[in-house]
Amino acid sequence: MRVVILGSGRGSNAEAILQAQQAGQLGRARVVALFSDKPDAGILALGPRFGLPASYIDPAPFKTKLEGEGEARFIAAVRAAQPDLVVLAGFMRVVKPGLLAAFAGKIINLHPSLLPSFPGLDGIGQAFRRGVKVTGCTVHGVTAEVDGGPILDQATVRVAPGETLETLAAKVHAAEHALLPAVIARLSEMR
Ligand code: GAR
């Protein structure tokens, strides 16, 4: 199962996927390319480290969504990598029907809350400020509804007494780093 990862940030989840692959824990999945909409994103530095192509793709003309010319550039680049699965790992843009149609049923997303609670930006901060006692992370299929597609799996994180936003974020990220590779491995075995 050929996997393409799209990300905008640090790339810690892409790194967790690649480490799982190196450890033989990614099932029949194999990461074939990394792409980012941010030229200086940490995720792009993983390419040389893991011997993979990693490219910035200009997402213009929009600021927060991927549509129009930028979407067409992403579709062409991702399509060239011939993915069976497209993983949004911290890809901070709303994907639109063009990309969804190009890779229909093949796109999954990681979100740092227990959906359907706290969709959108800053899921960890939203949950922390709301004062929930349990939060976590979700991997779901991507549809036109933002953070609304079918839930594939979730992991829970308890909010401890005295928890700060920083300590909670670290716990949610650790849960993500275990959950996302496990879901990819499982999907690869189901094909
Ligand atoms: C992760 O916490 C992921 O859940 C979140 O961005 C972070 C990326 O971290 N995604 C979203 O909030 C999507 N709405 P990373 O770049 O270190 O993998």
Side-chain angles (χ1 to χ4, degrees), residues 7-15 43 88-93 109-113 119-124 137-138 140 146-147 169 172-173 176-177 180:
S8 308
R10 274 192 312 158
S12 69
N13 286 283
E15 184 174 6
I43 189 171
L88 308 184
F91 188 63
M92 303 308 281
R93 277 181 183 267
N109 180 48
L110 172 68
H111 184 78
S113 75
L121 290 177
D122 192 19
I124 301 172
C137 53
T138 301
H140 65 94
V146 175
D147 296 330
V172 172
H173 291 315
E176 291 183 317
H177 297 162
L180 184 54

Side-chain angles (χ1 to χ4, degrees), residues 114-117 137-141 147-154 186:
L114 293 176
L115 291 173
S117 293
C137 53
T138 301
V139 179
H140 65 94
D147 296 330
I151 291 171
L152 299 173
D153 207 353
Q154 296 182 305
R186 207 169 67 224

Side-chain angles (χ1 to χ4, degrees), residues 29-167:
R30 178 164 59 95
V31 179
V32 294
L34 308 165
F35 296 106
S36 182
D37 61 331
K38 299 263 194 259
D40 51 356
I43 189 171
L44 292 177
L46 296 170
R49 261 183 64 197
F50 287 87
L52 283 172
S55 320
Y56 161 70
I57 300 175
D58 182 359
F62 299 104
K63 273 210 157 64
T64 59
K65 64 180 176 179
L66 188 64
E67 208 168 21
E69 292 146 34
E71 181 187 57
R73 283 188 286 268
F74 265 83
I75 290 172
V78 173
R79 193 174 267 147
Q82 299 182 291
D84 301 301
L85 185 71
V86 178
V87 178
L88 308 184
F91 188 63
M92 303 308 281
R93 277 181 183 267
V94 177
V95 295
K96 291 291 180 179
L99 191 91
L100 293 173
F103 307 104
K106 294 183 180 173
I107 311 179
I108 65 172
N109 180 48
L110 172 68
H111 184 78
S113 75
L114 293 176
L115 291 173
S117 293
F118 312 118
L121 290 177
D122 192 19
I124 301 172
Q126 289 186 59
F128 181 75
R129 288 187 290 277
R130 183 64 184 81
V132 300
K133 300 301 173 205
V134 179
T135 184
C137 53
T138 301
V139 179
H140 65 94
V142 177
T143 63
E145 186 191 346
V146 175
D147 296 330
I151 291 171
L152 299 173
D153 207 353
Q154 296 182 305
T156 56
V157 169
R158 275 205 78 81
V159 183
E163 196 91 71
T164 66
L165 179 57
E166 289 69 32
T167 60

